Amino acid sequence: MSERGDNRPRPPAAGVDPLGDPFLRTRFAVPVRPATFLRRQRLVEHLDQALDTALTMVDGCAGAGKTLLVADWAAHLGRPVAWLTVDACDQAPGVFWAYLLEALRASGADEIRDVGCPADAGAVEHGLLARLAAQLNGRDRPLTVVLDEYDRVTAPEIADQLGFVLHHAGRGLRLVLVTRTEPTLPLHRYRADGTLTEIRDAELAFTPEEAATLLELHGLRLGPDAVRALVERTRGWAAGLRLCALAAQQSSDPGTYLKEFEAGQSTIADFLLAEVLRRQPAPTQDLLLRVSVLDRFCPDLANALAGRRDTGPVLAELHRANAFVEHLGHSWYRLHPLFAEILGAHRRVRFPGLEPELHRRAAEWLRHRGPLSDTLAHGAAAGDWEFTARVLVDDLAIGQFFTGLHSDGLGELFARMPPDTTGPEADLVRAARELSDHDLDHAHVHLEHARRALARAGPGRAAARLSCALLDTLAARLTGAPGRAEHAARTARELRQDLPAELLDRHPELPALLQTHLGAARLWAGHFDEARAALSAAAAGSGGETALPREESLGRLALIDYLTGWPTRAEHKALAALTDAERFSLAEPAGLGLVHLVLAAVAVDRDELDDAQALLDWATAVQPVPPDPVTAASRVIAQARLQLARGQPGTALETAGSTVPAAAASPWAEDHTALVVSDAHLAEGRPETAVKVLEDAVGREAACTVAAARAHLAAGDPDAALDLLDHLPAEEHRGPAVTVRALLARAEAVGRQGDPTTARRLATKALAEARRERLRRPLLEAGPWLRRLLRTDALREPVPGGLTARPESRLRTLPHTARQTALVVEELSGRERDVLRRLARMMSTEEIAADLFVSVNTVKTHLKSAYRKLGVNRRGDAVHRARELRLL
């Protein structure tokens, strides 16, 4: 018996652990907070829940601020806390429990002195753990125990023993674990019981407001935007922010340092390399260095870069260990951005020349499995521009140069493509970039190179041929060559049959762009019905990918309506285009220049000349250089008509003489230019010249025929005028703007032939039609005979332009009281009501734009439309009228 007793482990002497080493008292001390420590009340309040739950876990990456957070909380708790900082040597259960029991005694828990102490460094008697749990369970007040750096405990038996004590101690123990990794305790049970408090990395991250306060504690002040950028770059990582602040204090320009510091050459790099990277095994270090070229990665992609097959478990463990590997869900991960920067700098030193190969492998893997944007970015980073251009074209994504969503990104990416990059796809990309910039000469050169290369390649490469046909259609439209556009569009339709339906379905912008360009070319050719069919198909699309072609198509449909005499229809389509642009928050697209030109032309017909000038100025500011022929001709015509309305016929003649470069002439552009020139000669008293100018257009364009009739009337030949008017198409086949002018011309002609009754009937009909469309210019252009005719008429209704039957009436603005009695022309849109409500609150145009998150020009457009519908011209009148009609 005595012999056996001599072999048993003896309890250690007081003040030493089972190995015979003295206890390190520093491990029982609550860490001291630095003077620049920031107490974050939201986290302290969350930690207070630890007093009501058996287990609390503060789980975060290295430098997340876990220890200081818990230390500050413990120091202000107002009750004893047993603190133990775990050491790597605590893997032996006996040593771990000896230290934990000593920490309990150091905190003043005298009742556990009789529990005993482990005698064997490698084991702990179950009875000791049972006595400890029983003593804690009998306490009146729970004892709070903090185990800092608990992630250093890897022995599974220690976790089991700790779980046993925690369970049987009941309400007598409150255990707080500060760890980088999730412990192997049965956390699911504590979560289910509601006895677990958790604070993780996301909650430990500093908010911009907290970061600003932390920087101020270091004597640094940054603006809100700079602070947000710093927090985004560090992801609110506490150590990163503190190290940045300390380094900035040593800089002569702290603000600039914090905005531009190089992570790879900073104290942050030293911290992360020592605390994170070098703690990993060599194969894991190699894996982290390789995946640092990626914004995000999955195990298969990581395997492709590292030449391995086993990265899945490694990545999962790195995430679990809070090793700055973030899980994005669905087996995708990303590195903390600062960690990625530092790894990149370290990789370039350790493996010079490896980076292009890593990007090449990533691009090859992503080509069939990842987003196109990532594939292109890695292909470009690898310097393989032929591959990158081929990927873009093979994916049928060439149209994204023209959608407004990815245009800038693609343009910037391929601006780096060297001029010696060969292949038809590279030439197609260059042509697309140049067409998007309206550089037609260089675009034609690269398109020709691509066509020749594809011809030499023989059959196949349908995606490249379809991309070439799309660009050909656009180039033909921009140069005013409708025949070439028709041929290219027909080729594109044929090539679509050779491509997978799934690939075509991924790119709805392709048919939308083709229909838009083809419709614009047909519009230039004067084939309005065919143009309307193509443009309507493009305008029927939905979604952001087709937003820009949809807006351009609506603008051209609006122009067709205006040219055929339907101003209200034109206005509706133009406003729909503006609303769509606002909905998708695209930058002011150049295609909206034509929309504003149409609105300007409608404003001229309604004698809203200041509005017309503002719209023209805006359209000029955003139109591309050079503009496409349709836009260029529309601007010339709208500008000349405005000059005529302002009484400047000589200037209008000069404007109408402007050259619009185009491969083929446009019949409507020629006819409407002739119409302006004729009206200018008529205004200057040259009716015979006015008639002569319109000779070719008479019978082809209804508006020109009516204008020629007016010129004959001015020349004193009502019979010739009536003869022309008799050959006009029926009213249902021409727009109201043409009908009003035709009725007025016929009224004047029959009046001169001695039939005042018919003249008054025709004039009355013209006035009614003008009222519906709010047309004023035709009435003003009619001249004094209309006023003389109405002096003898009983017509008393207010009309556009202010015409009444009273002898003293003149062509003037309708009085305010008369405007109030008119009905609303059409229902206000929801956005127009939004604008009016803010108008009623005395908000300025700029304030309304900011409140609705739209541009000032958009607000002005909505106001103009609301004024028209309400029959007013001023802000106060609009609010008053809207209230009268109970619209507000």
Side-chain angles (χ1 to χ4, degrees):
M1 291 288 292
S2 61
E3 185 176 344
R4 266 199 320 270
D6 290 339
N7 290 332
R8 290 175 182 172
R10 297 178 180 179
V16 297
D17 65 20
L19 296 173
D21 296 325
F23 286 114
L24 301 175
R25 296 289 164 183
T26 52
R27 293 177 59 191
F28 307 137
V30 177
V32 178
R33 282 80 63 211
T36 54
F37 175 77
L38 174 64
R39 192 166 203 259
R40 294 186 280 168
Q41 192 61 33
R42 64 181 177 88
L43 294 178
V44 172
E45 291 174 358
H46 194 171
L47 259 181
D48 285 341
Q49 297 175 22
L51 301 175
D52 299 317
T53 57
L55 179 62
T56 294
M57 183 176 64
V58 182
D59 181 11
C61 64
K66 309 178 294 296
T67 297
L68 290 179
L69 166 67
V70 178
D72 178 66
W73 172 77
H76 290 85
L77 198 56
R79 64 178 70 178
V81 173
W83 186 285
L84 173 62
T85 300
V86 178
D87 193 82
C89 65
D90 292 347
Q91 300 311 310
V95 176
F96 172 83
W97 283 103
Y99 261 96
L100 180 52
L101 288 165
E102 188 65 18
L104 294 174
R105 296 184 187 103
S107 71
D110 296 331
E111 66 274 18
I112 69 161
R113 294 191 182 277
D114 297 333
V115 168
C117 190
D120 186 351
V124 177
E125 294 180 3
H126 182 75
L128 184 149
L129 299 176
R131 290 193 298 275
L132 173 60
Q135 287 287 355
L136 291 172
N137 188 268
R139 287 179 60 90
D140 295 332
R141 295 184 64 186
L143 179 62
T144 301
V145 178
V146 176
L147 296 181
D148 188 24
E149 300 191 35
Y150 181 76
D151 50 277
R152 294 186 175 188
V153 174
T154 58
E157 59 267 35
I158 293 178
D160 293 340
Q161 293 160 359
L162 193 61
F164 170 82
V165 172
L166 182 60
H167 175 70
H168 292 287
R171 296 188 57 81
L173 177 61
R174 296 290 179 256
L175 180 61
V176 180
L177 302 181
V178 182
T179 177
R180 294 187 189 183
T181 63
E182 193 169 282
T184 55
L185 294 168
L187 298 179
H188 60 282
R189 296 180 186 172
Y190 293 100
R191 290 190 183 106
D193 294 342
T195 55
L196 174 64
T197 298
E198 296 181 80
I199 296 179
R200 292 184 176 269
D201 246 345
E203 192 175 357
L204 289 167
F206 274 67
T207 66
E209 295 75 16
E210 291 168 346
T213 306
L214 179 67
L215 292 173
E216 288 176 5
L217 289 172
H218 288 78
L220 303 169
R221 289 184 177 275
L222 260 69
D225 291 341
V227 171
R228 276 193 294 272
L230 182 61
V231 169
E232 177 64 25
R233 190 174 177 191
T234 61
R235 297 271 170 83
W237 179 44
L241 290 169
R242 287 194 176 94
L243 290 171
C244 282
L246 290 171
Q249 286 178 328
Q250 310 303 316
S251 172
S252 58
D253 187 353
T256 300
Y257 174 85
L258 289 173
K259 293 175 186 175
E260 302 175 358
F261 73 91
E262 295 183 31
Q265 307 296 324
S266 68
T267 53
I268 299 175
D270 298 335
F271 180 94
L272 285 175
L273 292 175
E275 291 293 322
V276 181
L277 183 65
R278 291 182 185 130
R279 284 192 174 199
Q280 307 300 329
T284 302
Q285 291 186 33
D286 181 77
L287 172 65
L288 286 170
L289 290 170
R290 288 171 180 268
V291 298
S292 63
V293 303
L294 301 164
D295 290 330
R296 62 190 193 112
F297 46 89
C298 65
D300 285 346
L301 178 52
N303 284 336
L305 265 65
R308 298 171 55 166
R309 297 182 179 180
D310 61 346
T311 61
V314 177
L315 294 174
E317 176 57 27
L318 287 168
H319 169 64
R320 194 186 73 81
N322 285 313
F324 289 81
V325 176
E326 304 170 10
H327 187 224
L328 302 176
H330 303 288
S331 298
W332 282 86
Y333 299 86
R334 69 181 174 192
L335 297 175
H336 185 288
L338 275 182
F339 192 35
E341 278 188 64
I342 291 162
L343 289 174
H346 192 59
R347 182 191 64 249
R348 285 186 282 274
V349 173
R350 189 166 165 184
F351 303 114
L354 178 62
E355 189 162 327
E357 172 62 17
L358 293 175
H359 282 297
R360 187 192 63 76
R361 292 185 186 183
E364 289 285 1
W365 189 92
L366 288 164
R367 182 176 187 180
H368 302 294
R369 304 174 185 87
L372 175 64
S373 57
D374 290 356
T375 307
L376 297 176
H378 286 291
D384 192 343
W385 289 101
E386 290 183 25
F387 166 87
T388 307
R390 189 165 61 253
V391 167
L392 178 79
V393 172
D394 286 350
D395 194 74
L396 288 184
I398 199 81
Q400 292 183 3
F401 275 100
F402 311 100
T403 61
L405 295 175
H406 310 288
S407 309
D408 291 343
L410 287 175
E412 291 172 7
L413 178 75
F414 283 102
R416 293 154 35 204
M417 186 167 66
D420 59 352
T421 306
T422 59
E425 290 84 3
D427 277 315
L428 288 171
V429 169
R430 292 189 183 99
R433 283 191 63 233
E434 284 147 359
L435 284 171
S436 68
D437 291 336
H438 282 242
D439 185 350
L440 302 183
D441 292 337
H442 286 97
H444 279 303
V445 171
H446 291 299
L447 271 176
E448 184 58 30
H449 288 166
R451 273 192 292 268
R452 289 177 182 174
L454 289 171
R456 290 194 299 270
R461 303 183 91 156
R465 297 178 192 278
L466 177 56
S467 299
C468 189
L470 170 66
L471 299 181
D472 276 336
T473 309
L474 172 56
R477 163 206 158 179
L478 293 177
T479 53
R484 290 208 330 257
E486 291 282 0
H487 175 75
R490 187 164 51 252
T491 301
R493 285 193 294 271
E494 293 169 356
L495 288 166
R496 283 170 59 87
Q497 310 304 315
D498 300 330
L499 288 162
E502 181 272 333
L503 179 59
L504 292 167
D505 290 343
R506 287 210 314 265
H507 292 286
E509 74 276 3
L510 264 181
L513 288 166
L514 277 167
Q515 295 285 12
T516 300
H517 303 330
L518 179 60
R522 289 173 173 175
L523 167 57
W524 181 249
H527 303 150
F528 288 168
D529 290 341
E530 294 89 339
R532 190 180 282 112
L535 295 168
S536 296
S542 61
E545 301 91 345
T546 59
L548 203 53
R550 184 166 59 250
E551 291 152 19
E552 289 194 13
S553 295
L554 284 169
R556 280 153 182 77
L557 287 168
L559 177 62
I560 293 173
D561 282 336
Y562 175 77
L563 294 173
T564 53
W566 298 91
T568 299
R569 289 185 190 176
E571 183 182 46
H572 287 172
K573 289 185 176 67
L575 292 176
L578 292 178
T579 301
D580 206 46
E582 179 184 314
R583 174 186 169 202
F584 287 96
S585 302
L586 296 175
E588 302 285 11
L592 291 184
L594 181 62
V595 169
H596 285 77
L597 288 174
V598 172
L599 291 173
V602 172
V604 170
D605 276 355
R606 290 173 175 161
D607 203 40
E608 297 163 351
L609 305 187
D610 290 340
D611 287 350
Q613 186 63 63
L615 288 162
L616 273 168
D617 292 342
W618 192 95
T620 302
V622 301
Q623 76 177 11
V625 179
D628 70 289
V630 169
T631 302
S634 299
R635 189 185 185 287
V636 167
I637 293 165
Q639 182 70 53
R641 294 210 64 80
L642 176 59
Q643 290 162 347
L644 275 175
R646 290 193 182 280
Q648 302 166 352
T651 308
L653 280 171
E654 184 178 341
T655 300
S658 303
T659 301
V660 175
S666 170
W668 66 263
E670 290 184 342
D671 290 347
H672 281 264
T673 301
L675 186 60
V676 170
V677 171
S678 173
D679 285 348
H681 285 301
L682 199 60
E684 291 188 332
R686 296 188 292 272
E688 291 81 4
T689 305
V691 170
K692 186 173 181 58
V693 166
L694 293 171
E695 282 179 352
D696 293 337
V698 168
R700 184 175 62 207
E701 170 61 56
C704 291
T705 303
V706 173
R710 289 180 55 235
H712 279 295
L713 285 170
D717 192 350
D719 292 335
L722 286 171
D723 183 59
L724 288 173
L725 295 171
D726 287 341
H727 290 87
L728 282 174
E731 286 187 22
E732 59 267 24
H733 298 301
R734 61 178 189 257
V738 178
T739 297
V740 168
R741 288 181 168 88
L743 288 169
L744 291 173
R746 187 176 290 277
E748 182 178 3
V750 299
R752 291 192 182 189
Q753 289 183 333
D755 188 354
T757 301
T758 302
R760 284 195 295 274
R761 178 177 57 78
L762 291 169
T764 301
K765 186 176 179 181
L767 293 171
E769 190 75 22
R771 181 181 293 111
R772 279 193 293 271
E773 293 284 331
R774 295 186 57 77
L775 296 172
R776 294 184 176 91
R777 287 311 307 170
L779 308 180
L780 295 169
E781 292 166 357
W785 72 267
L786 184 58
R787 290 195 294 272
R788 289 194 297 270
L789 179 69
L790 293 180
R791 286 195 187 106
T792 60
D793 189 65
L795 182 64
R796 297 290 176 178
E797 290 292 323
V799 296
L803 284 172
T804 70
R806 295 195 300 273
E808 69 277 10
S809 71
R810 300 179 62 186
L811 289 171
R812 55 185 169 81
T813 303
L814 208 61
H816 173 62
T817 53
R819 285 202 309 273
Q820 285 183 327
T821 62
L823 295 176
V824 178
V825 175
E826 60 186 273
E827 186 178 354
L828 294 176
S829 69
R831 186 44 62 93
E832 288 162 359
R833 289 179 183 237
D834 289 341
V835 170
L836 279 175
R837 290 188 192 100
R838 287 157 178 78
L839 208 64
R841 299 205 298 266
M842 305 298 291
M843 293 173 69
S844 67
T845 304
E846 291 75 14
E847 290 170 335
I848 295 172
D851 197 42
L852 292 176
F853 299 100
V854 298
S855 68
V856 171
N857 281 326
T858 299
V859 172
K860 289 179 178 177
T861 300
H862 288 309
L863 280 174
K864 174 181 175 298
S865 179
Y867 289 171
R868 175 185 61 76
K869 293 176 180 180
L870 294 169
V872 299
N873 291 313
R874 294 181 297 181
R875 296 164 64 97
D877 293 346
V879 173
H880 184 76
R881 179 73 178 126
R883 283 174 175 157
E884 273 189 346
L885 296 171
R886 298 182 180 179
L887 298 176
L888 294 179

